[in-house]
Amino acid sequence: VGTVSVSSNTNPAVSTASISGTHVIVQGNMVGSTIMTICASNVGCVSLYVSVQQQSTQTGTTQTTTSSTVTINPSTITLRVGETQTAYLSGPGSYYISAHSNGGLVSNSLSGAALTIKGLIVGTDVMSICGASGNTTSCSSLTVNVLASTNSTTGTTQTISFSPSEVSLMVGQSMNVTVTGSSLGSYYIQGSTDSNVASGNISGNVVTIYANATGGANITVCQLAGVCGNIYAFVTANGTVTQTQTTTTSTIAPVLTSFSVSSNNVGGGFMSSGAALTLTFSLSQPATSHSFVVGGQAISLNGSGTGPYTGIYTLTGNEKSPLSVSVTFSDASGRSGKADFTIGASAAASTPSSTGTTGVFTSYLQVGSTGTEVTALQTRLTALGIYSGPITGKFGAQTEAAVKKYQAKHKINQLGAVGPATRALLNQGI
Protein backbone atom coordinates (compact mmCIF):
# COMPACT_ATOMS: atom_id res chain seq x y z
CA VAL A 1 0.00 0.00 0.00
CA GLY A 2 2.97 2.33 0.21
CA THR A 3 3.45 4.94 2.92
CA VAL A 4 0.58 5.23 5.45
CA SER A 5 -0.31 8.53 7.14
CA VAL A 6 -3.09 10.26 9.08
CA SER A 7 -4.20 13.18 6.92
CA SER A 8 -6.96 14.57 9.17
CA ASN A 9 -8.67 14.11 12.54
CA THR A 10 -12.01 15.84 13.31
CA ASN A 11 -11.60 15.66 17.12
CA PRO A 12 -8.03 14.97 18.26
CA ALA A 13 -8.98 15.67 21.90
CA VAL A 14 -11.03 12.45 21.84
CA SER A 15 -8.51 10.23 20.06
CA THR A 16 -5.15 10.41 18.33
CA ALA A 17 -3.37 7.95 16.08
CA SER A 18 0.19 7.06 15.19
CA ILE A 19 1.56 4.94 12.33
CA SER A 20 3.92 1.96 12.64
CA GLY A 21 4.60 0.59 9.16
CA THR A 22 1.21 -0.44 7.84
CA HIS A 23 -0.38 -0.42 11.30
CA VAL A 24 -2.53 2.44 12.64
CA ILE A 25 -2.28 2.65 16.46
CA VAL A 26 -5.30 4.48 17.97
CA GLN A 27 -5.20 6.02 21.46
CA GLY A 28 -8.44 6.86 23.36
CA ASN A 29 -8.05 10.12 25.28
CA MET A 30 -11.57 11.08 26.40
CA VAL A 31 -15.17 10.02 25.86
CA GLY A 32 -16.54 11.00 22.47
CA SER A 33 -16.09 10.27 18.79
CA THR A 34 -13.93 11.41 15.92
CA ILE A 35 -13.33 10.64 12.25
CA MET A 36 -9.76 10.13 11.05
CA THR A 37 -8.74 10.07 7.40
CA ILE A 38 -6.05 7.44 6.79
CA CYS A 39 -4.18 7.58 3.52
CA ALA A 40 -1.77 5.19 1.74
CA SER A 41 0.43 6.50 -1.03
CA ASN A 42 -0.30 3.63 -3.49
CA VAL A 43 -4.00 3.12 -2.68
CA GLY A 44 -5.76 6.29 -1.56
CA CYS A 45 -7.65 7.31 1.59
CA VAL A 46 -10.35 5.86 3.82
CA SER A 47 -12.31 7.14 6.84
CA LEU A 48 -11.77 5.52 10.22
CA TYR A 49 -14.59 6.08 12.73
CA VAL A 50 -13.38 6.09 16.35
CA SER A 51 -15.73 5.96 19.34
CA VAL A 52 -14.19 6.26 22.81
CA GLN A 53 -16.33 4.88 25.65
CA GLN A 54 -16.11 4.70 29.41
CA GLN A 55 -13.69 2.13 30.81
CA SER A 56 -15.14 -0.94 32.49
CA THR A 57 -13.81 -4.03 34.21
CA GLN A 58 -15.39 -7.47 34.21
CA THR A 59 -15.02 -10.18 36.81
CA GLY A 60 -16.78 -13.39 35.82
CA THR A 61 -20.28 -12.33 34.74
CA THR A 62 -20.18 -9.00 36.63
CA GLN A 63 -19.15 -5.86 34.76
CA THR A 64 -18.28 -2.74 36.79
CA THR A 65 -18.23 0.67 35.15
CA THR A 66 -15.78 3.13 36.69
CA SER A 67 -16.39 6.88 36.90
CA SER A 68 -14.19 9.82 37.74
CA THR A 69 -14.70 13.01 39.70
CA VAL A 70 -12.41 16.00 39.54
CA THR A 71 -11.32 17.13 42.99
CA ILE A 72 -9.47 20.36 43.74
CA ASN A 73 -7.21 20.91 46.74
CA PRO A 74 -7.76 23.44 48.14
CA SER A 75 -11.26 24.19 46.83
CA THR A 76 -11.06 27.81 48.03
CA ILE A 77 -8.08 30.10 47.57
CA THR A 78 -7.67 33.49 49.23
CA LEU A 79 -4.78 35.67 48.11
CA ARG A 80 -3.91 39.31 47.63
CA VAL A 81 -3.40 41.23 44.42
CA GLY A 82 -0.01 40.27 42.96
CA GLU A 83 0.24 37.01 44.93
CA THR A 84 0.19 33.51 43.42
CA GLN A 85 -1.05 30.21 44.80
CA THR A 86 -1.31 26.68 43.39
CA ALA A 87 -4.21 24.25 43.57
CA TYR A 88 -3.76 20.56 42.74
CA LEU A 89 -6.26 18.53 40.74
CA SER A 90 -6.94 14.82 41.03
CA GLY A 91 -9.10 12.34 39.14
CA PRO A 92 -8.45 10.68 35.77
CA GLY A 93 -8.71 12.57 32.50
CA SER A 94 -7.34 15.70 30.90
CA TYR A 95 -8.02 18.88 32.89
CA TYR A 96 -9.21 22.20 31.51
CA ILE A 97 -10.86 25.42 32.74
CA SER A 98 -14.38 25.64 31.34
CA ALA A 99 -15.62 28.93 32.82
CA HIS A 100 -15.03 31.95 35.10
CA SER A 101 -17.78 33.75 37.01
CA ASN A 102 -15.76 36.96 37.03
CA GLY A 103 -13.09 36.80 34.38
CA GLY A 104 -10.26 39.30 34.59
CA LEU A 105 -9.78 39.09 38.37
CA VAL A 106 -7.13 36.38 38.10
CA SER A 107 -4.67 34.89 35.65
CA ASN A 108 -4.16 31.15 35.60
CA SER A 109 -1.70 28.59 34.30
CA LEU A 110 -2.57 24.88 34.11
CA SER A 111 0.29 22.44 33.88
CA GLY A 112 -0.78 18.85 34.23
CA ALA A 113 -2.53 18.60 37.59
CA ALA A 114 -1.11 21.88 38.94
CA LEU A 115 -3.23 25.02 38.55
CA THR A 116 -1.40 28.25 39.44
CA ILE A 117 -3.55 31.31 40.19
CA LYS A 118 -2.39 34.94 40.35
CA GLY A 119 -4.57 37.73 41.79
CA LEU A 120 -4.98 40.76 39.53
CA ILE A 121 -7.99 42.76 40.82
CA VAL A 122 -9.95 42.68 44.08
CA GLY A 123 -13.06 40.48 43.93
CA THR A 124 -14.26 36.88 43.82
CA ASP A 125 -14.03 34.50 40.87
CA VAL A 126 -15.56 31.02 40.76
CA MET A 127 -13.70 28.84 38.27
CA SER A 128 -15.14 25.66 36.79
CA ILE A 129 -12.43 23.00 36.40
CA CYS A 130 -13.30 19.95 34.31
CA GLY A 131 -11.77 16.63 33.41
CA ALA A 132 -12.91 13.89 31.02
CA SER A 133 -13.15 10.28 32.09
CA GLY A 134 -15.15 7.40 30.70
CA ASN A 135 -18.24 8.56 28.89
CA THR A 136 -18.82 11.56 31.16
CA THR A 137 -17.14 14.88 31.84
CA SER A 138 -16.80 15.83 35.50
CA CYS A 139 -16.43 19.42 36.72
CA SER A 140 -15.77 21.00 40.12
CA SER A 141 -15.62 24.59 41.33
CA LEU A 142 -12.66 26.55 42.67
CA THR A 143 -13.49 29.78 44.50
CA VAL A 144 -10.77 32.44 44.38
CA ASN A 145 -11.01 35.46 46.69
CA VAL A 146 -8.65 38.30 45.77
CA LEU A 147 -7.97 40.86 48.50
CA ALA A 148 -6.30 44.27 48.29
CA SER A 149 -2.53 44.34 48.46
CA THR A 150 -0.71 45.14 51.69
CA ASN A 151 2.42 47.15 52.29
CA SER A 152 5.24 44.62 52.53
CA THR A 153 7.00 46.70 55.20
CA THR A 154 4.16 47.71 57.50
CA GLY A 155 1.65 44.99 56.66
CA THR A 156 -1.11 47.59 56.32
CA THR A 157 -3.66 47.55 53.48
CA GLN A 158 -2.75 49.83 50.60
CA THR A 159 -5.00 52.84 50.03
CA ILE A 160 -5.30 55.58 47.45
CA SER A 161 -6.39 59.16 48.08
CA PHE A 162 -7.46 62.14 46.01
CA SER A 163 -6.72 65.85 46.12
CA PRO A 164 -9.42 67.08 46.18
CA SER A 165 -11.77 64.17 46.89
CA GLU A 166 -14.89 66.28 46.18
CA VAL A 167 -15.33 68.72 43.31
CA SER A 168 -18.09 71.20 42.56
CA LEU A 169 -18.46 72.18 38.92
CA MET A 170 -20.84 73.89 36.55
CA VAL A 171 -22.03 72.12 33.42
CA GLY A 172 -19.27 72.22 30.81
CA GLN A 173 -16.44 72.69 33.27
CA SER A 174 -13.62 70.28 34.03
CA MET A 175 -11.19 69.88 36.91
CA ASN A 176 -8.03 67.87 37.53
CA VAL A 177 -7.76 65.64 40.60
CA THR A 178 -4.44 64.17 41.73
CA VAL A 179 -4.34 60.52 42.79
CA THR A 180 -1.81 59.35 45.35
CA GLY A 181 -1.27 55.85 46.71
CA SER A 182 1.05 52.86 46.60
CA SER A 183 3.36 51.96 43.76
CA LEU A 184 1.58 48.67 43.09
CA GLY A 185 0.35 49.32 39.57
CA SER A 186 -1.27 51.89 37.31
CA TYR A 187 -4.51 53.74 38.01
CA TYR A 188 -7.65 53.33 35.93
CA ILE A 189 -11.27 54.58 36.05
CA GLN A 190 -13.65 51.77 36.92
CA GLY A 191 -16.80 53.81 36.22
CA SER A 192 -19.21 56.54 37.27
CA THR A 193 -22.50 56.11 39.14
CA ASP A 194 -24.03 58.49 36.59
CA SER A 195 -21.85 59.21 33.57
CA ASN A 196 -24.58 61.49 32.23
CA VAL A 197 -23.78 63.83 35.13
CA ALA A 198 -20.00 63.46 35.44
CA SER A 199 -17.34 61.36 33.74
CA GLY A 200 -13.58 61.22 33.83
CA ASN A 201 -10.36 60.43 31.98
CA ILE A 202 -7.07 59.50 33.59
CA SER A 203 -3.48 60.12 32.56
CA GLY A 204 -0.86 58.79 34.93
CA ASN A 205 -2.03 59.89 38.38
CA VAL A 206 -4.19 62.81 37.19
CA VAL A 207 -7.94 62.34 36.79
CA THR A 208 -9.81 64.94 34.72
CA ILE A 209 -13.45 65.25 35.80
CA TYR A 210 -15.94 66.49 33.20
CA ALA A 211 -19.28 68.04 34.22
CA ASN A 212 -21.96 66.92 31.76
CA ALA A 213 -25.31 67.66 33.45
CA THR A 214 -26.66 68.85 36.78
CA GLY A 215 -26.63 66.36 39.63
CA GLY A 216 -24.09 64.33 41.56
CA ALA A 217 -21.99 61.26 40.79
CA ASN A 218 -19.23 59.17 42.32
CA ILE A 219 -16.37 58.37 39.95
CA THR A 220 -14.52 55.23 41.05
CA VAL A 221 -10.77 55.14 40.48
CA CYS A 222 -8.83 51.93 41.07
CA GLN A 223 -5.27 50.74 41.03
CA LEU A 224 -4.12 47.49 39.46
CA ALA A 225 -3.14 46.53 43.01
CA GLY A 226 -6.88 46.20 43.65
CA VAL A 227 -7.38 49.35 45.72
CA CYS A 228 -10.27 51.67 44.77
CA GLY A 229 -11.63 55.03 45.91
CA ASN A 230 -14.33 57.54 44.93
CA ILE A 231 -14.23 61.13 43.74
CA TYR A 232 -17.58 62.89 44.31
CA ALA A 233 -18.59 65.40 41.63
CA PHE A 234 -21.44 67.84 42.21
CA VAL A 235 -22.59 69.62 39.04
CA THR A 236 -24.75 72.74 38.88
CA ALA A 237 -26.23 74.62 35.92
CA ASN A 238 -24.31 77.30 34.09
CA GLY A 239 -25.36 79.60 31.24
CA THR A 240 -21.86 79.94 29.83
CA VAL A 241 -19.81 76.85 29.11
CA THR A 242 -16.16 77.39 29.99
CA GLN A 243 -13.29 75.00 30.54
CA THR A 244 -11.78 76.20 33.81
CA GLN A 245 -10.58 74.67 37.02
CA THR A 246 -12.29 77.08 39.39
CA THR A 247 -14.37 75.31 42.01
CA THR A 248 -17.89 76.67 42.16
CA THR A 249 -20.31 76.76 45.07
CA SER A 250 -23.44 74.63 45.04
CA THR A 251 -26.81 76.36 44.72
CA ILE A 252 -28.54 73.56 46.66
CA ALA A 253 -28.56 73.48 50.45
CA PRO A 254 -27.08 70.36 52.06
CA VAL A 255 -29.48 67.69 53.27
CA LEU A 256 -29.16 64.77 55.64
CA THR A 257 -28.44 61.54 53.76
CA SER A 258 -28.18 59.09 56.68
CA PHE A 259 -28.79 58.92 60.41
CA SER A 260 -28.22 56.07 62.86
CA VAL A 261 -28.12 55.54 66.62
CA SER A 262 -26.65 52.71 68.70
CA SER A 263 -26.39 52.04 72.42
CA ASN A 264 -23.85 50.25 74.60
CA ASN A 265 -26.86 48.95 76.61
CA VAL A 266 -25.37 49.78 80.00
CA GLY A 267 -27.99 49.00 82.64
CA GLY A 268 -29.50 46.26 80.53
CA GLY A 269 -31.48 48.36 78.05
CA PHE A 270 -31.08 50.51 74.97
CA MET A 271 -32.34 53.61 76.85
CA SER A 272 -31.28 52.65 80.38
CA SER A 273 -29.81 55.23 82.74
CA GLY A 274 -26.06 55.47 82.15
CA ALA A 275 -26.22 54.01 78.65
CA ALA A 276 -24.18 55.88 76.03
CA LEU A 277 -25.95 56.55 72.73
CA THR A 278 -23.71 56.97 69.67
CA LEU A 279 -25.47 59.10 67.05
CA THR A 280 -24.09 59.31 63.51
CA PHE A 281 -25.18 61.25 60.42
CA SER A 282 -23.90 62.17 56.95
CA LEU A 283 -24.71 65.04 54.58
CA SER A 284 -25.11 65.43 50.83
CA GLN A 285 -22.52 68.24 50.72
CA PRO A 286 -19.66 69.43 52.95
CA ALA A 287 -20.80 71.51 55.93
CA THR A 288 -18.90 74.41 57.44
CA SER A 289 -21.02 74.57 60.61
CA HIS A 290 -23.25 72.09 62.40
CA SER A 291 -24.84 71.34 65.75
CA PHE A 292 -26.34 68.31 67.47
CA VAL A 293 -28.91 68.82 70.24
CA VAL A 294 -30.17 65.80 72.20
CA GLY A 295 -32.93 66.27 74.77
CA GLY A 296 -32.30 70.02 74.68
CA GLN A 297 -28.57 69.58 75.37
CA ALA A 298 -25.92 70.37 72.76
CA ILE A 299 -23.31 67.65 72.32
CA SER A 300 -19.94 67.85 70.60
CA LEU A 301 -19.37 66.28 67.20
CA ASN A 302 -16.46 64.59 65.49
CA GLY A 303 -16.27 64.64 61.69
CA SER A 304 -15.79 66.91 58.69
CA GLY A 305 -16.91 67.47 55.10
CA THR A 306 -19.93 65.34 54.27
CA GLY A 307 -19.30 63.16 57.31
CA PRO A 308 -19.91 60.86 58.88
CA TYR A 309 -20.32 63.04 62.00
CA THR A 310 -20.51 61.27 65.35
CA GLY A 311 -21.62 62.43 68.79
CA ILE A 312 -22.15 60.58 72.08
CA TYR A 313 -24.94 61.30 74.56
CA THR A 314 -25.02 59.58 77.96
CA LEU A 315 -28.51 59.05 79.39
CA THR A 316 -29.12 60.42 82.88
CA GLY A 317 -32.46 58.69 83.41
CA ASN A 318 -34.29 62.02 83.67
CA GLU A 319 -34.95 62.47 79.96
CA LYS A 320 -38.45 62.84 78.57
CA SER A 321 -39.70 60.02 76.37
CA PRO A 322 -39.40 59.95 73.46
CA LEU A 323 -35.97 61.61 73.42
CA SER A 324 -35.74 64.50 70.95
CA VAL A 325 -32.78 64.93 68.60
CA SER A 326 -32.16 67.97 66.38
CA VAL A 327 -29.43 68.31 63.75
CA THR A 328 -28.65 71.63 62.03
CA PHE A 329 -25.99 72.31 59.41
CA SER A 330 -24.97 74.91 56.80
CA ASP A 331 -22.56 75.15 53.88
CA ALA A 332 -19.97 77.75 52.93
CA SER A 333 -22.63 79.92 51.28
CA GLY A 334 -24.76 79.99 54.40
CA ARG A 335 -27.48 77.68 53.07
CA SER A 336 -28.72 75.63 55.99
CA GLY A 337 -30.76 72.56 56.73
CA LYS A 338 -32.31 70.94 59.76
CA ALA A 339 -33.57 67.46 60.66
CA ASP A 340 -35.52 66.41 63.77
CA PHE A 341 -35.78 62.90 65.21
CA THR A 342 -37.23 61.11 68.20
CA ILE A 343 -35.75 58.08 69.90
CA GLY A 344 -38.15 55.71 71.62
CA ALA A 345 -37.88 54.72 75.27
CA SER A 346 -36.99 51.10 74.64
CA ALA A 347 -35.79 50.75 71.07
CA ALA A 348 -33.70 52.41 68.41
CA ALA A 349 -34.39 55.62 66.51
CA SER A 350 -37.78 56.19 64.96
CA THR A 351 -38.26 57.14 61.31
CA PRO A 352 -36.75 60.63 60.89
CA SER A 353 -38.81 63.61 59.84
CA SER A 354 -36.78 66.36 58.21
CA THR A 355 -38.02 69.93 57.89
CA GLY A 356 -36.28 69.93 54.54
CA THR A 357 -38.56 67.16 53.23
CA THR A 358 -42.01 67.94 54.68
CA GLY A 359 -44.46 70.46 53.18
CA VAL A 360 -42.03 71.56 50.45
CA PHE A 361 -43.38 69.71 47.42
CA THR A 362 -45.14 72.00 44.95
CA SER A 363 -43.96 70.78 41.54
CA TYR A 364 -44.78 67.84 39.31
CA LEU A 365 -41.69 65.63 39.55
CA GLN A 366 -40.79 62.95 37.03
CA VAL A 367 -37.78 61.37 35.31
CA GLY A 368 -35.51 64.20 34.18
CA SER A 369 -36.59 66.65 36.91
CA THR A 370 -33.80 68.27 38.95
CA GLY A 371 -33.51 70.64 41.86
CA THR A 372 -34.11 70.98 45.58
CA GLU A 373 -37.49 69.23 45.52
CA VAL A 374 -35.91 66.14 43.96
CA THR A 375 -33.21 66.26 46.61
CA ALA A 376 -35.89 66.51 49.31
CA LEU A 377 -37.81 63.63 47.70
CA GLN A 378 -34.75 61.38 47.63
CA THR A 379 -33.97 62.26 51.24
CA ARG A 380 -37.54 61.45 52.35
CA LEU A 381 -37.62 58.13 50.48
CA THR A 382 -34.21 57.25 51.93
CA ALA A 383 -35.52 57.89 55.45
CA LEU A 384 -38.50 55.63 54.71
CA GLY A 385 -36.16 52.83 53.60
CA ILE A 386 -37.56 52.86 50.07
CA TYR A 387 -34.70 54.59 48.19
CA SER A 388 -31.08 53.40 48.46
CA GLY A 389 -29.45 55.45 45.70
CA PRO A 390 -27.29 58.59 45.99
CA ILE A 391 -28.83 61.96 46.93
CA THR A 392 -28.18 63.79 43.67
CA GLY A 393 -31.11 66.16 43.11
CA LYS A 394 -31.68 64.43 39.77
CA PHE A 395 -34.81 62.32 39.18
CA GLY A 396 -33.61 59.13 37.49
CA ALA A 397 -34.61 55.49 37.20
CA GLN A 398 -33.77 54.66 40.83
CA THR A 399 -35.90 57.54 42.10
CA GLU A 400 -38.76 56.52 39.79
CA ALA A 401 -38.67 52.94 41.16
CA ALA A 402 -38.71 54.25 44.76
CA VAL A 403 -41.69 56.52 44.02
CA LYS A 404 -43.60 53.53 42.62
CA LYS A 405 -42.91 51.61 45.85
CA TYR A 406 -44.16 54.58 47.87
CA GLN A 407 -47.30 54.80 45.72
CA ALA A 408 -47.93 51.05 46.02
CA LYS A 409 -47.60 51.28 49.80
CA HIS A 410 -50.29 54.00 49.92
CA LYS A 411 -52.48 52.45 47.18
CA ILE A 412 -51.88 55.25 44.69
CA ASN A 413 -51.70 54.62 40.94
CA GLN A 414 -48.09 53.57 40.40
CA LEU A 415 -46.99 56.06 37.75
CA GLY A 416 -43.52 56.65 39.19
CA ALA A 417 -44.03 60.44 39.09
CA VAL A 418 -44.97 62.81 41.92
CA GLY A 419 -48.39 64.18 41.02
CA PRO A 420 -51.07 65.83 43.21
CA ALA A 421 -52.05 62.70 45.19
CA THR A 422 -48.48 61.66 45.93
CA ARG A 423 -47.45 65.25 46.67
CA ALA A 424 -50.28 65.65 49.20
CA LEU A 425 -49.10 62.59 51.16
CA LEU A 426 -45.48 63.73 51.11
CA ASN A 427 -46.44 67.20 52.36
CA GLN A 428 -48.32 65.59 55.26
CA GLY A 429 -45.13 63.84 56.30
CA ILE A 430 -46.62 60.40 55.57
PDB file of all heavy atoms in Angstrom, residues 42 66 85 90 140 273 297 392:
ATOM      1  N   ASN A  42      -0.032   4.403  -2.276  1.00  0.00           N
ATOM      2  CA  ASN A  42      -0.297   3.630  -3.490  1.00  0.00           C
ATOM      3  C   ASN A  42      -1.762   3.233  -3.656  1.00  0.00           C
ATOM      4  O   ASN A  42      -2.123   2.598  -4.637  1.00  0.00           O
ATOM      5  CB  ASN A  42       0.551   2.341  -3.504  1.00  0.00           C
ATOM      6  CG  ASN A  42       2.035   2.663  -3.591  1.00  0.00           C
ATOM      7  OD1 ASN A  42       2.425   3.715  -4.081  1.00  0.00           O
ATOM      8  ND2 ASN A  42       2.861   1.735  -3.108  1.00  0.00           N
ATOM      9  N   THR A  66     -16.462   2.181  35.814  1.00  0.00           N
ATOM     10  CA  THR A  66     -15.779   3.135  36.694  1.00  0.00           C
ATOM     11  C   THR A  66     -16.121   4.554  36.267  1.00  0.00           C
ATOM     12  O   THR A  66     -16.418   4.823  35.109  1.00  0.00           O
ATOM     13  CB  THR A  66     -14.253   2.941  36.641  1.00  0.00           C
ATOM     14  OG1 THR A  66     -13.812   3.160  35.303  1.00  0.00           O
ATOM     15  CG2 THR A  66     -13.878   1.537  37.074  1.00  0.00           C
ATOM     16  N   GLN A  85      -0.809  31.403  43.997  1.00  0.00           N
ATOM     17  CA  GLN A  85      -1.054  30.206  44.799  1.00  0.00           C
ATOM     18  C   GLN A  85      -1.425  29.075  43.852  1.00  0.00           C
ATOM     19  O   GLN A  85      -2.009  29.296  42.792  1.00  0.00           O
ATOM     20  CB  GLN A  85      -2.167  30.452  45.819  1.00  0.00           C
ATOM     21  CG  GLN A  85      -2.305  29.345  46.858  1.00  0.00           C
ATOM     22  CD  GLN A  85      -3.223  29.745  47.997  1.00  0.00           C
ATOM     23  OE1 GLN A  85      -3.348  30.933  48.305  1.00  0.00           O
ATOM     24  NE2 GLN A  85      -3.856  28.783  48.629  1.00  0.00           N
ATOM     25  N   SER A  90      -7.055  16.275  41.035  1.00  0.00           N
ATOM     26  CA  SER A  90      -6.939  14.822  41.025  1.00  0.00           C
ATOM     27  C   SER A  90      -8.182  14.232  40.377  1.00  0.00           C
ATOM     28  O   SER A  90      -9.236  14.865  40.303  1.00  0.00           O
ATOM     29  CB  SER A  90      -6.772  14.275  42.445  1.00  0.00           C
ATOM     30  OG  SER A  90      -7.881  14.616  43.264  1.00  0.00           O
ATOM     31  N   SER A 140     -15.688  20.522  38.741  1.00  0.00           N
ATOM     32  CA  SER A 140     -15.772  21.002  40.116  1.00  0.00           C
ATOM     33  C   SER A 140     -15.431  22.479  40.137  1.00  0.00           C
ATOM     34  O   SER A 140     -14.840  23.010  39.194  1.00  0.00           O
ATOM     35  CB  SER A 140     -14.820  20.222  41.036  1.00  0.00           C
ATOM     36  OG  SER A 140     -15.196  18.864  41.105  1.00  0.00           O
ATOM     37  N   SER A 273     -30.626  54.176  82.132  1.00  0.00           N
ATOM     38  CA  SER A 273     -29.809  55.232  82.735  1.00  0.00           C
ATOM     39  C   SER A 273     -28.349  54.826  82.720  1.00  0.00           C
ATOM     40  O   SER A 273     -27.985  53.717  83.098  1.00  0.00           O
ATOM     41  CB  SER A 273     -30.270  55.477  84.179  1.00  0.00           C
ATOM     42  OG  SER A 273     -29.454  56.450  84.793  1.00  0.00           O
ATOM     43  N   GLN A 297     -29.978  69.377  74.998  1.00  0.00           N
ATOM     44  CA  GLN A 297     -28.572  69.583  75.374  1.00  0.00           C
ATOM     45  C   GLN A 297     -27.687  69.425  74.147  1.00  0.00           C
ATOM     46  O   GLN A 297     -27.754  68.413  73.431  1.00  0.00           O
ATOM     47  CB  GLN A 297     -28.159  68.569  76.445  1.00  0.00           C
ATOM     48  CG  GLN A 297     -26.689  68.673  76.847  1.00  0.00           C
ATOM     49  CD  GLN A 297     -26.306  67.601  77.860  1.00  0.00           C
ATOM     50  OE1 GLN A 297     -27.169  67.093  78.576  1.00  0.00           O
ATOM     51  NE2 GLN A 297     -25.033  67.258  77.912  1.00  0.00           N
ATOM     52  N   THR A 392     -28.796  63.027  44.751  1.00  0.00           N
ATOM     53  CA  THR A 392     -28.177  63.791  43.666  1.00  0.00           C
ATOM     54  C   THR A 392     -28.975  65.015  43.252  1.00  0.00           C
ATOM     55  O   THR A 392     -28.440  65.898  42.581  1.00  0.00           O
ATOM     56  CB  THR A 392     -28.012  62.902  42.424  1.00  0.00           C
ATOM     57  OG1 THR A 392     -29.313  62.462  41.993  1.00  0.00           O
ATOM     58  CG2 THR A 392     -27.151  61.690  42.749  1.00  0.00           C
TER      59      THR A 392
END
